[in-house]
Amino acid sequence: MAPKVLEVNNLKTRFHTNEGTVHAVNGVSFYIGEGETLGIVGESGCGKTVSVLSVMRLIPQPPGEVIVDSVMFYDRNLVELKEEEMREVRGSQIAMIFQDPMTSLNPVLTIGFQIMEPMRVHLGMSEEEARERAAELLNLVGISEAANRLDDYPHQFSGGMRQRAMIAMALSCNPPMLIADEPTTALDVTIQAQIVDLVKRLRDKLGMSLIWITHDLGIIAGLADRVMVMYAGFVVEEADIRPLYEDPRHPYTYALLQSLPRMDGSPGEDLMSIDGIPPELYELPKGCAFAPRCAYVKEKCWEEIPQLEEIAPGHRIACFVDIKTGELR
């Protein structure tokens, strides 16, 4: 196994609101190795983005509250760093591509200025050096006439080009780890494919570790080495990509995969839908959070919260039921 770049242990994130306390992330633990790609998947609101924002210490406190045993980045515990030290880690060591580039880019600053700023702050480059490097990065991510586009503003770029500029900004300090938070959601299908292909090529060329957050299991299939499935703030299944797609063992993962169109599916075959909606998380469920929507639910599921258990090497699920037999494991 590759050396671990990041290891998160027992992460819990809550938001204190006028309506009550939202338990957004509930005891999540995960790791990512050098050069590895980890996919984090699940429905909107399941805690995917909040988990990585908590790791990056980007959750406003209050109203947020982050409790975690440790966040080890190589040999440093990010929890123990001062804010100035954490600011050095962000961008130079761990970079992040956000979902909507139009709201992530500053509309009154040029694209070139925004790509150059991390290099001047973290790497101490002069303006001339940073400008030359920024043009190289824009060219690397596939923007033609890159040197001439540095003085353009975000509104002068298309959606796909803005996302490419965000990727260039994220790569500016050669970080060993990149987090991509649903970076293709706002783009059309053709541009989505181009962005995914671009990130794959850059990952392989630069040897980065990559966390890709998405609700689209189709994208993850050709991108990730391992997949972590989240539901209602809990990790419900984790496995290497092939075992998870060929033999999903949690009812939620199975239902998600059955809802995808397949090239080898029978003509006219209906796709599965998951009845119901995810729970409100103003209080933790007494039993399994997925129980109200689960086709395999047993009495025990209403009474206890299942813990992640290994059912095969590297394959863990949080479920009391063997979905192959329909009986308790």
PDB file of all heavy atoms in Angstrom, residues 2-8 30-36 71-76 78 93-94 175-178 207-210:
ATOM      1  N   ALA A   2       0.470   2.253  -0.787  1.00  0.00           N
ATOM      2  CA  ALA A   2       1.230   3.500  -0.871  1.00  0.00           C
ATOM      3  C   ALA A   2       1.214   4.224   0.475  1.00  0.00           C
ATOM      4  O   ALA A   2       0.239   4.119   1.235  1.00  0.00           O
ATOM      5  CB  ALA A   2       0.636   4.389  -1.954  1.00  0.00           C
ATOM      6  N   PRO A   3       2.290   4.965   0.801  1.00  0.00           N
ATOM      7  CA  PRO A   3       2.298   5.741   2.050  1.00  0.00           C
ATOM      8  C   PRO A   3       1.102   6.693   2.101  1.00  0.00           C
ATOM      9  O   PRO A   3       0.682   7.232   1.078  1.00  0.00           O
ATOM     10  CB  PRO A   3       3.616   6.521   1.964  1.00  0.00           C
ATOM     11  CG  PRO A   3       4.470   5.749   1.004  1.00  0.00           C
ATOM     12  CD  PRO A   3       3.536   5.121   0.034  1.00  0.00           C
ATOM     13  N   LYS A   4       0.555   6.879   3.305  1.00  0.00           N
ATOM     14  CA  LYS A   4      -0.619   7.734   3.452  1.00  0.00           C
ATOM     15  C   LYS A   4      -0.230   9.209   3.399  1.00  0.00           C
ATOM     16  O   LYS A   4       0.705   9.635   4.078  1.00  0.00           O
ATOM     17  CB  LYS A   4      -1.331   7.424   4.771  1.00  0.00           C
ATOM     18  CG  LYS A   4      -1.960   6.036   4.811  1.00  0.00           C
ATOM     19  CD  LYS A   4      -2.599   5.742   6.153  1.00  0.00           C
ATOM     20  CE  LYS A   4      -3.178   4.326   6.190  1.00  0.00           C
ATOM     21  NZ  LYS A   4      -3.743   3.994   7.518  1.00  0.00           N
ATOM     22  N   VAL A   5      -0.960   9.960   2.587  1.00  0.00           N
ATOM     23  CA  VAL A   5      -0.773  11.406   2.521  1.00  0.00           C
ATOM     24  C   VAL A   5      -1.655  12.077   3.563  1.00  0.00           C
ATOM     25  O   VAL A   5      -1.224  12.969   4.290  1.00  0.00           O
ATOM     26  CB  VAL A   5      -1.122  11.937   1.107  1.00  0.00           C
ATOM     27  CG1 VAL A   5      -1.073  13.461   1.076  1.00  0.00           C
ATOM     28  CG2 VAL A   5      -0.182  11.355   0.077  1.00  0.00           C
ATOM     29  N   LEU A   6      -2.896  11.626   3.646  1.00  0.00           N
ATOM     30  CA  LEU A   6      -3.863  12.218   4.569  1.00  0.00           C
ATOM     31  C   LEU A   6      -4.616  11.105   5.288  1.00  0.00           C
ATOM     32  O   LEU A   6      -5.044  10.134   4.661  1.00  0.00           O
ATOM     33  CB  LEU A   6      -4.858  13.091   3.799  1.00  0.00           C
ATOM     34  CG  LEU A   6      -5.946  13.787   4.633  1.00  0.00           C
ATOM     35  CD1 LEU A   6      -5.352  14.962   5.404  1.00  0.00           C
ATOM     36  CD2 LEU A   6      -7.081  14.275   3.738  1.00  0.00           C
ATOM     37  N   GLU A   7      -4.777  11.248   6.602  1.00  0.00           N
ATOM     38  CA  GLU A   7      -5.557  10.285   7.379  1.00  0.00           C
ATOM     39  C   GLU A   7      -6.425  11.047   8.373  1.00  0.00           C
ATOM     40  O   GLU A   7      -5.907  11.778   9.224  1.00  0.00           O
ATOM     41  CB  GLU A   7      -4.653   9.296   8.111  1.00  0.00           C
ATOM     42  CG  GLU A   7      -5.425   8.200   8.818  1.00  0.00           C
ATOM     43  CD  GLU A   7      -4.529   7.103   9.363  1.00  0.00           C
ATOM     44  OE1 GLU A   7      -3.301   7.337   9.488  1.00  0.00           O
ATOM     45  OE2 GLU A   7      -5.045   6.012   9.682  1.00  0.00           O
ATOM     46  N   VAL A   8      -7.728  10.879   8.261  1.00  0.00           N
ATOM     47  CA  VAL A   8      -8.703  11.579   9.106  1.00  0.00           C
ATOM     48  C   VAL A   8      -9.333  10.559  10.049  1.00  0.00           C
ATOM     49  O   VAL A   8      -9.796   9.507   9.612  1.00  0.00           O
ATOM     50  CB  VAL A   8      -9.794  12.249   8.240  1.00  0.00           C
ATOM     51  CG1 VAL A   8     -10.819  12.951   9.125  1.00  0.00           C
ATOM     52  CG2 VAL A   8      -9.166  13.221   7.250  1.00  0.00           C
ATOM     53  N   PHE A  30     -11.223   8.324   7.204  1.00  0.00           N
ATOM     54  CA  PHE A  30     -10.775   7.881   5.883  1.00  0.00           C
ATOM     55  C   PHE A  30      -9.308   8.249   5.694  1.00  0.00           C
ATOM     56  O   PHE A  30      -8.733   9.008   6.482  1.00  0.00           O
ATOM     57  CB  PHE A  30     -11.637   8.486   4.769  1.00  0.00           C
ATOM     58  CG  PHE A  30     -11.562   9.988   4.650  1.00  0.00           C
ATOM     59  CD1 PHE A  30     -10.641  10.605   3.812  1.00  0.00           C
ATOM     60  CD2 PHE A  30     -12.438  10.797   5.372  1.00  0.00           C
ATOM     61  CE1 PHE A  30     -10.579  11.985   3.698  1.00  0.00           C
ATOM     62  CE2 PHE A  30     -12.393  12.181   5.267  1.00  0.00           C
ATOM     63  CZ  PHE A  30     -11.462  12.775   4.422  1.00  0.00           C
ATOM     64  N   TYR A  31      -8.712   7.713   4.636  1.00  0.00           N
ATOM     65  CA  TYR A  31      -7.322   8.035   4.312  1.00  0.00           C
ATOM     66  C   TYR A  31      -7.162   8.046   2.796  1.00  0.00           C
ATOM     67  O   TYR A  31      -8.012   7.557   2.050  1.00  0.00           O
ATOM     68  CB  TYR A  31      -6.361   7.010   4.928  1.00  0.00           C
ATOM     69  CG  TYR A  31      -6.417   5.653   4.249  1.00  0.00           C
ATOM     70  CD1 TYR A  31      -5.560   5.348   3.183  1.00  0.00           C
ATOM     71  CD2 TYR A  31      -7.334   4.679   4.651  1.00  0.00           C
ATOM     72  CE1 TYR A  31      -5.631   4.117   2.535  1.00  0.00           C
ATOM     73  CE2 TYR A  31      -7.412   3.459   4.018  1.00  0.00           C
ATOM     74  CZ  TYR A  31      -6.555   3.182   2.963  1.00  0.00           C
ATOM     75  OH  TYR A  31      -6.637   1.972   2.315  1.00  0.00           O
ATOM     76  N   ILE A  32      -6.047   8.629   2.350  1.00  0.00           N
ATOM     77  CA  ILE A  32      -5.702   8.588   0.936  1.00  0.00           C
ATOM     78  C   ILE A  32      -4.185   8.435   0.825  1.00  0.00           C
ATOM     79  O   ILE A  32      -3.424   9.078   1.554  1.00  0.00           O
ATOM     80  CB  ILE A  32      -6.203   9.846   0.186  1.00  0.00           C
ATOM     81  CG1 ILE A  32      -5.843   9.771  -1.300  1.00  0.00           C
ATOM     82  CG2 ILE A  32      -5.670  11.118   0.815  1.00  0.00           C
ATOM     83  CD1 ILE A  32      -6.534  10.818  -2.150  1.00  0.00           C
ATOM     84  N   GLY A  33      -3.758   7.535  -0.056  1.00  0.00           N
ATOM     85  CA  GLY A  33      -2.341   7.262  -0.230  1.00  0.00           C
ATOM     86  C   GLY A  33      -1.708   8.129  -1.312  1.00  0.00           C
ATOM     87  O   GLY A  33      -2.394   8.819  -2.078  1.00  0.00           O
ATOM     88  N   GLU A  34      -0.394   8.078  -1.402  1.00  0.00           N
ATOM     89  CA  GLU A  34       0.332   8.841  -2.425  1.00  0.00           C
ATOM     90  C   GLU A  34      -0.091   8.390  -3.822  1.00  0.00           C
ATOM     91  O   GLU A  34      -0.120   7.195  -4.115  1.00  0.00           O
ATOM     92  CB  GLU A  34       1.844   8.651  -2.258  1.00  0.00           C
ATOM     93  CG  GLU A  34       2.435   9.442  -1.115  1.00  0.00           C
ATOM     94  CD  GLU A  34       3.964   9.358  -1.084  1.00  0.00           C
ATOM     95  OE1 GLU A  34       4.532   8.630  -1.922  1.00  0.00           O
ATOM     96  OE2 GLU A  34       4.567  10.018  -0.221  1.00  0.00           O
ATOM     97  N   GLY A  35      -0.430   9.356  -4.674  1.00  0.00           N
ATOM     98  CA  GLY A  35      -0.798   9.066  -6.042  1.00  0.00           C
ATOM     99  C   GLY A  35      -2.144   8.381  -6.213  1.00  0.00           C
ATOM    100  O   GLY A  35      -2.512   7.989  -7.319  1.00  0.00           O
ATOM    101  N   GLU A  36      -2.901   8.259  -5.130  1.00  0.00           N
ATOM    102  CA  GLU A  36      -4.178   7.555  -5.167  1.00  0.00           C
ATOM    103  C   GLU A  36      -5.325   8.537  -5.414  1.00  0.00           C
ATOM    104  O   GLU A  36      -5.241   9.714  -5.081  1.00  0.00           O
ATOM    105  CB  GLU A  36      -4.404   6.833  -3.832  1.00  0.00           C
ATOM    106  CG  GLU A  36      -5.651   5.961  -3.796  1.00  0.00           C
ATOM    107  CD  GLU A  36      -5.832   5.295  -2.448  1.00  0.00           C
ATOM    108  OE1 GLU A  36      -5.553   5.922  -1.403  1.00  0.00           O
ATOM    109  OE2 GLU A  36      -6.279   4.141  -2.426  1.00  0.00           O
ATOM    110  N   VAL A  71      -6.172  14.848  12.213  1.00  0.00           N
ATOM    111  CA  VAL A  71      -6.126  14.963  10.751  1.00  0.00           C
ATOM    112  C   VAL A  71      -4.648  14.985  10.384  1.00  0.00           C
ATOM    113  O   VAL A  71      -3.996  16.028  10.426  1.00  0.00           O
ATOM    114  CB  VAL A  71      -6.829  16.242  10.245  1.00  0.00           C
ATOM    115  CG1 VAL A  71      -6.714  16.336   8.717  1.00  0.00           C
ATOM    116  CG2 VAL A  71      -8.291  16.264  10.668  1.00  0.00           C
ATOM    117  N   MET A  72      -4.099  13.813  10.074  1.00  0.00           N
ATOM    118  CA  MET A  72      -2.665  13.698   9.806  1.00  0.00           C
ATOM    119  C   MET A  72      -2.385  13.915   8.317  1.00  0.00           C
ATOM    120  O   MET A  72      -2.890  13.182   7.467  1.00  0.00           O
ATOM    121  CB  MET A  72      -2.148  12.325  10.229  1.00  0.00           C
ATOM    122  CG  MET A  72      -2.333  12.011  11.699  1.00  0.00           C
ATOM    123  SD  MET A  72      -1.560  13.223  12.816  1.00  0.00           S
ATOM    124  CE  MET A  72       0.169  13.075  12.334  1.00  0.00           C
ATOM    125  N   PHE A  73      -1.625  14.957   8.024  1.00  0.00           N
ATOM    126  CA  PHE A  73      -1.171  15.221   6.667  1.00  0.00           C
ATOM    127  C   PHE A  73       0.334  14.959   6.658  1.00  0.00           C
ATOM    128  O   PHE A  73       1.107  15.734   7.202  1.00  0.00           O
ATOM    129  CB  PHE A  73      -1.485  16.663   6.260  1.00  0.00           C
ATOM    130  CG  PHE A  73      -1.062  17.004   4.859  1.00  0.00           C
ATOM    131  CD1 PHE A  73      -1.649  16.379   3.768  1.00  0.00           C
ATOM    132  CD2 PHE A  73      -0.076  17.950   4.628  1.00  0.00           C
ATOM    133  CE1 PHE A  73      -1.260  16.689   2.480  1.00  0.00           C
ATOM    134  CE2 PHE A  73       0.319  18.267   3.346  1.00  0.00           C
ATOM    135  CZ  PHE A  73      -0.274  17.632   2.257  1.00  0.00           C
ATOM    136  N   TYR A  74       0.718  13.809   6.070  1.00  0.00           N
ATOM    137  CA  TYR A  74       2.066  13.275   6.263  1.00  0.00           C
ATOM    138  C   TYR A  74       2.292  13.135   7.780  1.00  0.00           C
ATOM    139  O   TYR A  74       1.575  12.410   8.438  1.00  0.00           O
ATOM    140  CB  TYR A  74       3.119  14.142   5.578  1.00  0.00           C
ATOM    141  CG  TYR A  74       3.040  14.058   4.065  1.00  0.00           C
ATOM    142  CD1 TYR A  74       2.525  15.100   3.305  1.00  0.00           C
ATOM    143  CD2 TYR A  74       3.455  12.908   3.383  1.00  0.00           C
ATOM    144  CE1 TYR A  74       2.444  15.015   1.917  1.00  0.00           C
ATOM    145  CE2 TYR A  74       3.383  12.800   2.002  1.00  0.00           C
ATOM    146  CZ  TYR A  74       2.873  13.854   1.275  1.00  0.00           C
ATOM    147  OH  TYR A  74       2.784  13.749  -0.089  1.00  0.00           O
ATOM    148  N   ASP A  75       3.244  13.862   8.351  1.00  0.00           N
ATOM    149  CA  ASP A  75       3.519  13.680   9.787  1.00  0.00           C
ATOM    150  C   ASP A  75       3.026  14.861  10.624  1.00  0.00           C
ATOM    151  O   ASP A  75       3.410  15.018  11.779  1.00  0.00           O
ATOM    152  CB  ASP A  75       5.019  13.462  10.017  1.00  0.00           C
ATOM    153  CG  ASP A  75       5.859  14.620   9.480  1.00  0.00           C
ATOM    154  OD1 ASP A  75       5.290  15.493   8.775  1.00  0.00           O
ATOM    155  OD2 ASP A  75       7.077  14.655   9.746  1.00  0.00           O
ATOM    156  N   ARG A  76       2.169  15.708  10.035  1.00  0.00           N
ATOM    157  CA  ARG A  76       1.666  16.875  10.768  1.00  0.00           C
ATOM    158  C   ARG A  76       0.184  16.693  11.072  1.00  0.00           C
ATOM    159  O   ARG A  76      -0.589  16.284  10.198  1.00  0.00           O
ATOM    160  CB  ARG A  76       1.855  18.162   9.958  1.00  0.00           C
ATOM    161  CG  ARG A  76       3.280  18.421   9.532  1.00  0.00           C
ATOM    162  CD  ARG A  76       3.343  19.636   8.624  1.00  0.00           C
ATOM    163  NE  ARG A  76       3.230  20.883   9.356  1.00  0.00           N
ATOM    164  CZ  ARG A  76       3.101  22.076   8.758  1.00  0.00           C
ATOM    165  NH1 ARG A  76       3.033  22.160   7.439  1.00  0.00           N
ATOM    166  NH2 ARG A  76       3.023  23.182   9.473  1.00  0.00           N
ATOM    167  N   LEU A  78      -3.040  18.478  11.379  1.00  0.00           N
ATOM    168  CA  LEU A  78      -3.567  19.783  10.983  1.00  0.00           C
ATOM    169  C   LEU A  78      -4.415  20.416  12.078  1.00  0.00           C
ATOM    170  O   LEU A  78      -4.572  21.640  12.118  1.00  0.00           O
ATOM    171  CB  LEU A  78      -4.395  19.651   9.698  1.00  0.00           C
ATOM    172  CG  LEU A  78      -3.657  19.109   8.462  1.00  0.00           C
ATOM    173  CD1 LEU A  78      -4.555  19.185   7.232  1.00  0.00           C
ATOM    174  CD2 LEU A  78      -2.368  19.881   8.205  1.00  0.00           C
ATOM    175  N   GLN A  93       0.096  23.045  -0.169  1.00  0.00           N
ATOM    176  CA  GLN A  93       0.184  21.613   0.101  1.00  0.00           C
ATOM    177  C   GLN A  93      -1.097  20.864  -0.269  1.00  0.00           C
ATOM    178  O   GLN A  93      -1.054  19.762  -0.803  1.00  0.00           O
ATOM    179  CB  GLN A  93       0.488  21.382   1.593  1.00  0.00           C
ATOM    180  CG  GLN A  93       1.809  21.973   2.054  1.00  0.00           C
ATOM    181  CD  GLN A  93       2.992  21.296   1.396  1.00  0.00           C
ATOM    182  OE1 GLN A  93       3.095  20.077   1.409  1.00  0.00           O
ATOM    183  NE2 GLN A  93       3.871  22.075   0.801  1.00  0.00           N
ATOM    184  N   ILE A  94      -2.240  21.444   0.056  1.00  0.00           N
ATOM    185  CA  ILE A  94      -3.539  20.869  -0.301  1.00  0.00           C
ATOM    186  C   ILE A  94      -4.325  21.941  -1.046  1.00  0.00           C
ATOM    187  O   ILE A  94      -4.591  23.015  -0.490  1.00  0.00           O
ATOM    188  CB  ILE A  94      -4.345  20.432   0.940  1.00  0.00           C
ATOM    189  CG1 ILE A  94      -3.535  19.489   1.831  1.00  0.00           C
ATOM    190  CG2 ILE A  94      -5.638  19.753   0.512  1.00  0.00           C
ATOM    191  CD1 ILE A  94      -4.234  19.121   3.135  1.00  0.00           C
ATOM    192  N   PRO A 175       0.879  21.326  -5.494  1.00  0.00           N
ATOM    193  CA  PRO A 175       0.511  20.642  -4.249  1.00  0.00           C
ATOM    194  C   PRO A 175       0.518  19.133  -4.425  1.00  0.00           C
ATOM    195  O   PRO A 175       0.174  18.626  -5.496  1.00  0.00           O
ATOM    196  CB  PRO A 175      -0.921  21.141  -4.002  1.00  0.00           C
ATOM    197  CG  PRO A 175      -1.452  21.420  -5.373  1.00  0.00           C
ATOM    198  CD  PRO A 175      -0.282  21.958  -6.152  1.00  0.00           C
ATOM    199  N   PRO A 176       0.907  18.391  -3.389  1.00  0.00           N
ATOM    200  CA  PRO A 176       0.880  16.929  -3.480  1.00  0.00           C
ATOM    201  C   PRO A 176      -0.532  16.350  -3.423  1.00  0.00           C
ATOM    202  O   PRO A 176      -0.734  15.191  -3.760  1.00  0.00           O
ATOM    203  CB  PRO A 176       1.698  16.477  -2.273  1.00  0.00           C
ATOM    204  CG  PRO A 176       1.638  17.613  -1.316  1.00  0.00           C
ATOM    205  CD  PRO A 176       1.539  18.859  -2.141  1.00  0.00           C
ATOM    206  N   MET A 177      -1.516  17.177  -2.995  1.00  0.00           N
ATOM    207  CA  MET A 177      -2.884  16.672  -2.902  1.00  0.00           C
ATOM    208  C   MET A 177      -3.869  17.701  -3.426  1.00  0.00           C
ATOM    209  O   MET A 177      -3.751  18.900  -3.148  1.00  0.00           O
ATOM    210  CB  MET A 177      -3.248  16.316  -1.465  1.00  0.00           C
ATOM    211  CG  MET A 177      -4.513  15.461  -1.395  1.00  0.00           C
ATOM    212  SD  MET A 177      -4.847  14.872   0.265  1.00  0.00           S
ATOM    213  CE  MET A 177      -6.081  16.026   0.759  1.00  0.00           C
ATOM    214  N   LEU A 178      -4.839  17.206  -4.209  1.00  0.00           N
ATOM    215  CA  LEU A 178      -5.872  18.059  -4.803  1.00  0.00           C
ATOM    216  C   LEU A 178      -7.244  17.526  -4.413  1.00  0.00           C
ATOM    217  O   LEU A 178      -7.497  16.321  -4.492  1.00  0.00           O
ATOM    218  CB  LEU A 178      -5.722  18.069  -6.329  1.00  0.00           C
ATOM    219  CG  LEU A 178      -6.730  18.886  -7.135  1.00  0.00           C
ATOM    220  CD1 LEU A 178      -6.565  20.372  -6.842  1.00  0.00           C
ATOM    221  CD2 LEU A 178      -6.545  18.627  -8.628  1.00  0.00           C
ATOM    222  N   GLY A 207       1.616  13.209 -10.495  1.00  0.00           N
ATOM    223  CA  GLY A 207       1.683  12.252  -9.391  1.00  0.00           C
ATOM    224  C   GLY A 207       0.943  12.691  -8.147  1.00  0.00           C
ATOM    225  O   GLY A 207       1.314  12.314  -7.022  1.00  0.00           O
ATOM    226  N   MET A 208      -0.124  13.488  -8.309  1.00  0.00           N
ATOM    227  CA  MET A 208      -0.878  13.995  -7.160  1.00  0.00           C
ATOM    228  C   MET A 208      -1.794  12.938  -6.571  1.00  0.00           C
ATOM    229  O   MET A 208      -2.230  12.021  -7.264  1.00  0.00           O
ATOM    230  CB  MET A 208      -1.753  15.176  -7.583  1.00  0.00           C
ATOM    231  CG  MET A 208      -1.034  16.396  -8.061  1.00  0.00           C
ATOM    232  SD  MET A 208      -2.249  17.704  -8.461  1.00  0.00           S
ATOM    233  CE  MET A 208      -3.221  16.893  -9.740  1.00  0.00           C
ATOM    234  N   SER A 209      -2.092  13.101  -5.283  1.00  0.00           N
ATOM    235  CA  SER A 209      -3.218  12.394  -4.678  1.00  0.00           C
ATOM    236  C   SER A 209      -4.462  13.231  -4.943  1.00  0.00           C
ATOM    237  O   SER A 209      -4.404  14.461  -4.906  1.00  0.00           O
ATOM    238  CB  SER A 209      -3.011  12.228  -3.179  1.00  0.00           C
ATOM    239  OG  SER A 209      -1.832  11.491  -2.923  1.00  0.00           O
ATOM    240  N   LEU A 210      -5.586  12.568  -5.207  1.00  0.00           N
ATOM    241  CA  LEU A 210      -6.797  13.286  -5.615  1.00  0.00           C
ATOM    242  C   LEU A 210      -8.010  12.773  -4.844  1.00  0.00           C
ATOM    243  O   LEU A 210      -8.230  11.565  -4.758  1.00  0.00           O
ATOM    244  CB  LEU A 210      -7.025  13.100  -7.124  1.00  0.00           C
ATOM    245  CG  LEU A 210      -8.323  13.628  -7.728  1.00  0.00           C
ATOM    246  CD1 LEU A 210      -8.386  15.154  -7.618  1.00  0.00           C
ATOM    247  CD2 LEU A 210      -8.447  13.196  -9.193  1.00  0.00           C
TER     248      LEU A 210
END
